[in-house]
């Protein structure tokens, strides 16, 4: 059942029309993202159960179907988009779990984790948030910085500090122990953002 759900998630994410070149191969963007999420989960919490593997794999499922441009291009619109995405991703993976015959209890647990319900209080939601943050820093942060040339240093320090605040103490320890590859050009900025105030 677990393998069937993972296969359905991969099949859905393989439909992404957006592509990314990585390791000499062209990937559907969200398919590559889901692989990176699973790899990070295996590094960060190798004893995670199957339901958390499903939740982490489905974190961005079919994200291209709900583009940012469908919401107002202001701060409020951004938050509306993020909230809608959580529900969209969670509902989409639950539909796949239903297809595979997963129990209602298992569906509810994965839904809550992917929808980021009660982050900081629900360890499943916090785990998905931690893995997403670690993957963002290791693989996507540098490219994101390059898309925002108008942001000054203070703005970036604020973004980094907010990302850090979303993460658990265990994730902080994981980063500080050198377990992820930080983007080299951003290390001075990261050090500034994380320095004690």
């Amino acid at each position: 059942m677990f393998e069937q759900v993972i296969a359905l998630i991969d099949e859905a994410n393989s439909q992404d029309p957006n592509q990314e070149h990585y390791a000499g191969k062209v990937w559907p963007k969200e398919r590559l993202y889901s692989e990176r999420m699973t790899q990070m989960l295996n590094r960060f919490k190798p004893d995670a159960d199957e339901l958390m593997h499903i939740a982490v794999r489905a974190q961005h499922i079919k994200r291209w179907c709900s583009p940012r441009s469908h919401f107002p291009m202001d701060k409020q619109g951004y938050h509306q988009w993020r909230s809608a995405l959580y529900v969209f991703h969670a509902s989409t993976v639950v539909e796949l779990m239903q297809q595979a015959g997963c129990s209602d209890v298992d569906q509810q647990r994965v839904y809550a984790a992917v929808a980021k319900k009660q982050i900081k209080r629900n360890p499943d939601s916090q785990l998905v948030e931690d893995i997403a943050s670690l993957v963002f820093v290791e693989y996507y942060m540098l490219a994101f910085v390059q898309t925002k040339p108008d942001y000054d240093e203070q703005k970036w320090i604020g973004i980094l500090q907010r990302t850090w605040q979303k993460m658990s103490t265990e994730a902080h320890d994981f980063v500080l122990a050198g377990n992820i590859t930080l983007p080299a050009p951003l290390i001075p900025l990261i050090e500034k953002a994380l320095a004690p105030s």
Side-chain angles (χ1 to χ4, degrees), residues 3 8 46 54 61 72 85-86 104 106 116 153 166 182:
E3 287 172 359
L8 288 168
I54 289 171
I61 190 167
L85 274 177
Y86 294 158
D104 288 348
D106 287 355
K116 308 284 179 71
E153 185 178 88
K166 288 182 191 172
L182 298 173

Side-chain angles (χ1 to χ4, degrees), residues 45-100:
K45 194 171 175 62
D47 60 345
D49 65 26
E50 290 183 344
L51 293 181
M52 286 304 93
H53 273 274
I54 289 171
V56 160
R57 192 81 161 199
Q59 148 83 1
H60 271 193
I61 190 167
K62 298 182 76 168
R63 173 158 287 206
W64 67 93
C65 295
S66 182
R68 171 71 183 91
S69 57
H70 286 187
F71 294 81
M73 296 305 286
D74 56 16
K75 195 170 185 178
Q76 188 180 357
Y78 173 78
H79 290 298
Q80 288 171 352
W81 172 64
R82 298 290 302 184
S83 297
L85 274 177
Y86 294 158
V87 173
F88 170 69
H89 294 319
S91 302
T92 303
V93 70
V94 161
E95 285 172 20
L96 300 183
M97 291 178 74
Q98 286 168 354
Q99 279 181 46

Side-chain angles (χ1 to χ4, degrees), residues 7 11 18-20 22 24 38 51 58-59 67 77 90 92 105 107 113-114 116 120 133 161 171 173-174 195:
E11 188 182 321
N18 305 295
Q19 296 184 329
E20 196 168 320
Y22 180 69
T38 292
L51 293 181
Q59 148 83 1
T92 303
V105 172
Q107 290 172 38
V114 177
K116 308 284 179 71
K120 300 292 182 190
S133 297
Q161 288 171 341
D173 293 344
F174 187 77

Side-chain angles (χ1 to χ4, degrees):
M1 208 178 284
F2 165 71
E3 287 172 359
Q4 187 182 348
V5 176
I6 295 294
L8 288 168
I9 293 168
D10 289 350
E11 188 182 321
N13 279 332
S14 294
Q15 296 164 20
D16 190 351
N18 305 295
Q19 296 184 329
E20 196 168 320
H21 291 264
Y22 180 69
K25 185 178 168 187
V26 179
W27 290 79
K29 186 180 173 189
E30 295 306 345
R31 179 77 177 80
L32 176 60
Y33 178 83
S34 68
E35 288 281 349
R36 287 170 167 166
M37 288 288 286
T38 292
Q39 288 167 12
M40 188 64 75
L41 179 63
N42 288 332
R43 286 160 56 187
F44 178 69
K45 194 171 175 62
D47 60 345
D49 65 26
E50 290 183 344
L51 293 181
M52 286 304 93
H53 273 274
I54 289 171
V56 160
R57 192 81 161 199
Q59 148 83 1
H60 271 193
I61 190 167
K62 298 182 76 168
R63 173 158 287 206
W64 67 93
C65 295
S66 182
R68 171 71 183 91
S69 57
H70 286 187
F71 294 81
M73 296 305 286
D74 56 16
K75 195 170 185 178
Q76 188 180 357
Y78 173 78
H79 290 298
Q80 288 171 352
W81 172 64
R82 298 290 302 184
S83 297
L85 274 177
Y86 294 158
V87 173
F88 170 69
H89 294 319
S91 302
T92 303
V93 70
V94 161
E95 285 172 20
L96 300 183
M97 291 178 74
Q98 286 168 354
Q99 279 181 46
C102 295
S103 72
D104 288 348
V105 172
D106 287 355
Q107 290 172 38
Q108 288 164 11
R109 187 173 162 213
V110 169
Y111 183 95
V114 177
K116 308 284 179 71
K117 298 284 185 188
Q118 297 186 305
I119 286 182
K120 300 292 182 190
R121 292 197 300 281
N122 177 357
D124 293 346
S125 300
Q126 185 61 57
L127 179 60
V128 174
E129 185 64 53
D130 283 344
I131 300 303
S133 297
L134 294 168
V135 166
F136 170 71
V137 172
E138 183 161 298
Y139 293 106
Y140 298 99
M141 193 164 88
L142 184 59
F144 179 63
V145 168
Q146 290 165 346
T147 65
K148 307 285 183 187
D150 52 322
Y151 285 13
D152 62 16
E153 185 178 88
Q154 274 313 112
K155 179 112 177 167
W156 283 117
I157 286 173
I159 289 169
L160 286 163
Q161 288 171 341
R162 283 193 297 279
T163 301
W164 191 248
Q165 284 160 9
K166 288 182 191 172
M167 294 157 69
S168 66
T169 305
E170 292 80 9
H172 292 167
D173 293 344
F174 187 77
V175 173
L176 296 172
N179 290 313
I180 70 167
T181 304
L182 298 173
L186 302 182
I187 288 174
L189 190 62
I190 293 167
E191 287 173 344
K192 268 190 190 179
L194 303 187
S197 51

